[in-house]
């Protein structure tokens, strides 16, 4: 009988004296062609359509996709010049850009149902300035939002989610414009498991990539195509053993996208943020205009945390904001530097709140969020990206560093 040689990962309860800074951690990403990400992209494309015509449009667009079908639902308040036909066409263009021209889900032939309706007046009065109990512009909903940054990567993102995103972005670029065109299809997932020593990532213990592919390709052929995109992302010395790299471990992945599984907007909130390395308030982002603090407050929280780390006041920083619907001020501001802070957390809070107005309106104006910049956020993470010249990913700027250093010393 063959001996069981599987390695047991030590857990804290196995050895109370174990150094809790040594551990294994995993994050996953999914591609723009994953059914849930197709929905996020369509919802954000509809949002951009309205913001392009009216920067103060209100949009909460939810999308469902399945075989040959796209359903759009939710609330709107915006220019009546945008018709259902325009909304349908925008959805088709999003699907085309992702790359779906397959039997069962094709941008030209899918049945697109537009069921969007006008925004509730009860919600609107809590947000509109001069109405409601708080006559200042209030939050579009109650909730808690978290932001996080750490110094594990140049993007100040947790390493496992950062590498997972980059593997899939490389594959997507090659599928659309490079060597893998016609060989792999839009639907894909990645997963990176890292070993940490003294709270620092030192190597990958395993990598998983599952990608939809053209009929007729073997598992070995797909593996050979995918491997270079893993190798170019992981830092030197991080590659796991060959046997711990799993490419299409089921052996075949031809049926994918909405044909293989239904999708919904907002079901990949951990993929969208920090891969599980930080808390999450539970609210999704895509399809929501920036009056919805689920989105805008999560973005400003990331911005503040990133600036704290970039300024050298922590190796890792978590920030939480809390809001009530219709109320303009945040109900709570929380900062945690996880024992790595070089300034008291209370002083960091005072500095941040002196520099940035954390009301919903203040957030939108500081980050200039009333622009059609959201479709590009729908895949490969809302954070850890490079700010664009037109204002996209403005929450990734580190323009508070000098002010924080001036205030905190």
């Amino acid at each position: 009988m063959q001996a069981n040689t599987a390695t047991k990962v030590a857990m804290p309860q196995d050895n109370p004296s174990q150094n809790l800074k040594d551990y294994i951690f995993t994050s996953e990403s999914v591609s723009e062609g994953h059914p849930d990400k197709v929905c996020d992209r369509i919802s954000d494309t509809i949002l951009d359509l309205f913001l392009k015509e009216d920067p103060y449009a209100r949009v909460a667009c939810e999308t469902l996709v399945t075989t040959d079908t796209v359903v759009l639902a939710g609330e709107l308040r915006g220019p009546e010049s945008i018709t259902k036909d325009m909304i349908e066409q925008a959805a088709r263009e999003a699907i085309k850009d992702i790359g779906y021209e397959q039997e069962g889900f094709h941008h030209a032939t899918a049945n697109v149902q537009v069921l969007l309706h006008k925004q509730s007046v009860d919600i609107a009065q809590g947000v509109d300035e001069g109405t409601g109990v708080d006559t200042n512009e209030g939050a579009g909903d109650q909730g808690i939002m978290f932001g996080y940054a750490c110094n594990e990567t140049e993007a100040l993102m947790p390493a496992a989610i950062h590498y997972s995103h980059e593997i899939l972005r490389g594959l997507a670029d090659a599928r659309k414009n490079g060597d893998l065109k016609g060989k792999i299809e839009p639907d894909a997932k990645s997963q990176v498991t890292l070993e940490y020593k003294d709270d620092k990532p030192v190597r990958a213990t395993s990598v998983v990539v599952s990608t939809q592919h053209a009929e007729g390709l073997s598992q070995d052929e797909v593996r050979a195509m995918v491997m270079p995109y893993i190798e170019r992302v992981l830092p030197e010395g991080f590659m796991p053993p060959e046997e711990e790299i799993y490419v299409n471990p089921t052996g075949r992945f031809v049926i994918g996208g909405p044909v293989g599984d239904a999708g919904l907007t907002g079901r990949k909130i951990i993929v969208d943020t920090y891969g599980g390395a930080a808390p999450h308030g539970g609210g999704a982002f895509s399809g929501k205009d920036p009056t919805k603090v689920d989105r805008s407050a999560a973005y400003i929280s990331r911005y503040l945390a990133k600036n704290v780390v970039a300024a050298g006041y922590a190796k890792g920083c978590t920030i939480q904001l809390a809001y009530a619907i219709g109320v303009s001020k945040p109900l709570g501001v929380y900062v945690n530097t996880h024992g790595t802070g070089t300034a008291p957390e209370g002083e960091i809070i005072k500095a941040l709140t002196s520099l940035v107005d954390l009301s919903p309106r203040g957030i939108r104006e500081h980050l200039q969020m009333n622009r059609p910049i959201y479709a590009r956020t729908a895949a490969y993470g809302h954070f850890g990206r490079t700010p664009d010249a037109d204002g996209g990913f403005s929450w990734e700027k580190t323009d508070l560093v000098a002010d924080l250093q001036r205030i905190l010393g």
Side-chain angles (χ1 to χ4, degrees):
M1 181 176 179
Q2 187 176 1
N4 184 351
T5 59
T7 300
K8 181 179 184 292
V9 178
M11 300 299 288
Q13 61 267 30
D14 298 329
N15 180 2
S17 65
Q18 181 191 6
N19 180 3
L20 296 181
K21 293 186 177 183
D22 299 345
Y23 52 91
I24 302 292
F25 189 79
T26 304
S27 293
E28 73 155 351
S29 179
V30 298
S31 73
E32 64 201 86
H34 184 282
D36 295 330
K37 282 285 135 200
V38 173
C39 294
D40 287 346
R41 173 63 180 278
I42 293 171
S43 292
D44 275 333
T45 297
I46 303 309
L47 171 60
D48 283 352
L49 175 68
F50 277 84
L51 291 179
K52 187 175 182 180
E53 293 297 316
D54 177 1
Y56 299 99
R58 303 277 175 79
V59 179
C61 178
E62 309 290 347
T63 304
L64 176 148
V65 296
T66 186
T67 304
D68 283 327
T69 303
V70 178
V71 180
L72 306 177
E75 59 172 14
L76 295 171
R77 192 178 78 180
E80 294 185 1
S81 58
I82 297 178
T83 65
K84 281 190 175 183
D85 287 345
M86 294 169 67
I87 294 171
E88 177 182 335
Q89 184 58 32
R92 294 189 187 281
E93 289 173 359
I95 296 167
K96 182 179 181 180
D97 186 68
I98 292 168
Y100 275 113
E101 296 182 335
Q102 302 174 2
E103 182 179 353
F105 197 72
H106 194 295
H107 61 86
T109 58
N111 173 24
V112 180
Q113 302 176 35
V114 180
L115 306 178
L116 295 157
H117 59 78
K118 290 185 177 181
Q119 184 181 52
S120 161
V121 294
D122 291 347
I123 294 175
Q125 77 168 0
V127 178
D128 292 342
E129 190 168 0
T131 64
V133 176
D134 184 340
T135 55
N136 294 315
E137 182 181 319
D141 202 352
Q142 72 174 52
I144 56 174
M145 298 83 205
F146 287 93
Y148 181 71
C150 64
N151 64 359
E152 292 180 13
T153 62
E154 288 186 5
L156 301 186
M157 285 289 287
I161 187 67
H162 180 71
Y163 300 147
S164 296
H165 286 325
E166 290 303 301
I167 290 168
L168 292 186
R169 288 182 69 178
L171 288 171
D173 289 343
R175 170 177 61 83
K176 291 181 175 182
N177 307 309
D179 295 338
L180 301 184
K181 193 170 184 178
K183 297 176 182 177
I184 66 170
E185 300 293 347
D187 196 358
K189 285 186 173 184
S190 64
Q191 185 170 284
V192 175
T193 299
L194 298 178
E195 179 182 1
Y196 282 71
K197 293 288 187 183
D198 195 26
D199 249 350
K200 297 178 181 178
V202 296
R203 70 182 183 99
T205 61
S206 67
V207 175
V208 183
V209 177
S210 296
T211 181
Q212 186 184 13
H213 58 85
E215 184 73 68
L217 292 176
S218 69
Q219 184 182 23
D220 288 342
E221 288 172 320
V222 175
R223 182 184 181 90
M225 290 188 290
V226 167
M227 283 296 294
Y229 298 90
I230 300 173
E231 292 167 349
R232 69 182 57 174
V233 166
L234 294 182
E236 184 177 355
F238 268 59
M239 283 292 288
E242 185 79 11
E243 64 272 17
E244 293 299 329
I245 300 175
Y246 303 91
V247 177
N248 285 12
T250 66
R252 172 184 164 89
F253 187 4
V254 173
I255 300 171
V259 179
D261 194 8
L264 290 169
T265 300
R267 287 208 302 191
K268 288 293 177 285
I269 58 176
I270 300 303
V271 171
D272 286 344
T273 52
Y274 308 104
H280 197 295
F285 303 153
S286 289
K288 296 178 181 178
D289 73 77
T291 67
K292 279 75 172 174
V293 285
D294 278 346
R295 183 168 220 158
S296 56
Y299 285 5
I300 201 75
S301 297
R302 159 65 179 175
Y303 171 74
L304 298 177
K306 185 175 183 180
N307 275 272
V308 169
V309 174
Y313 291 107
K315 295 179 181 179
C317 180
T318 298
I319 290 180
Q320 183 203 60
L321 299 175
Y323 291 86
I325 188 168
V327 178
S328 59
K329 67 176 183 179
L331 304 186
V333 180
Y334 164 86
V335 172
N336 186 346
T337 55
H338 307 284
T340 69
T342 59
E345 287 154 343
E347 294 303 310
I348 293 174
I349 291 174
K350 290 179 183 178
L352 293 174
T353 53
S354 73
L355 293 171
V356 180
D357 176 1
L358 294 177
S359 69
R361 179 176 180 174
I363 294 170
R364 294 203 323 276
E365 291 181 350
H366 189 92
L367 297 180
Q368 298 181 292
M369 297 180 70
N370 288 97
R371 293 181 285 188
I373 55 174
Y374 297 103
R376 71 194 74 169
T377 69
Y380 314 118
H382 292 245
F383 309 127
R385 309 286 286 273
T386 302
D388 294 330
D390 67 350
F393 300 105
S394 60
W395 47 94
E396 290 299 312
K397 292 181 179 180
T398 52
D399 52 2
L400 295 183
V401 167
D403 286 329
L404 285 172
Q405 292 172 341
R406 171 178 54 81
I407 296 170
L408 294 171

